[in-house]
Amino acid sequence: MKFQRLHDLREDSDLSQKKLGEILHISQRAYSYYETGNRCIPVEMLIRLADYYDTSIDYLVGRTDRKERF
């Protein structure tokens, strides 16, 4: 499953995969695998991403179009 919203949020924040990997303390390659869906995203990482972007996990994975947290 490709995570287009992760890609879009990252680009909207003017971040490279490398920079976001540094923020999350993972490699650029690991982040790339998450974004492209080549690797499952651990729940802990989804929580960190949702916190970083101030949104919900449901928004990140496409379960809702509501960007703001509930």
Side-chain angles (χ1 to χ4, degrees), residues 1-13 15 17 20 24 31-37 41 45-46 49-50 53 55 59-61:
M1 171 182 201
K2 184 175 180 180
F3 291 95
Q4 185 64 40
R5 290 197 172 150
L6 287 180
H7 176 267
D8 294 343
L9 286 166
R10 178 179 57 77
E11 287 201 339
D12 289 347
S13 299
L15 294 170
Q17 288 182 344
L20 191 53
L24 299 170
Y31 179 79
S32 174
Y33 287 154
Y34 295 154
E35 198 172 278
T36 60
I41 305 173
M45 186 60 61
L46 282 171
L49 285 161
Y53 289 121
T55 192
Y59 179 78
L60 293 179
V61 300

Side-chain angles (χ1 to χ4, degrees), residues 49-66:
L49 285 161
D51 287 346
Y52 181 79
Y53 289 121
D54 195 29
T55 192
S56 69
I57 292 172
D58 283 344
Y59 179 78
L60 293 179
V61 300
R63 290 184 46 137
T64 184
D65 291 329
R66 186 175 172 184

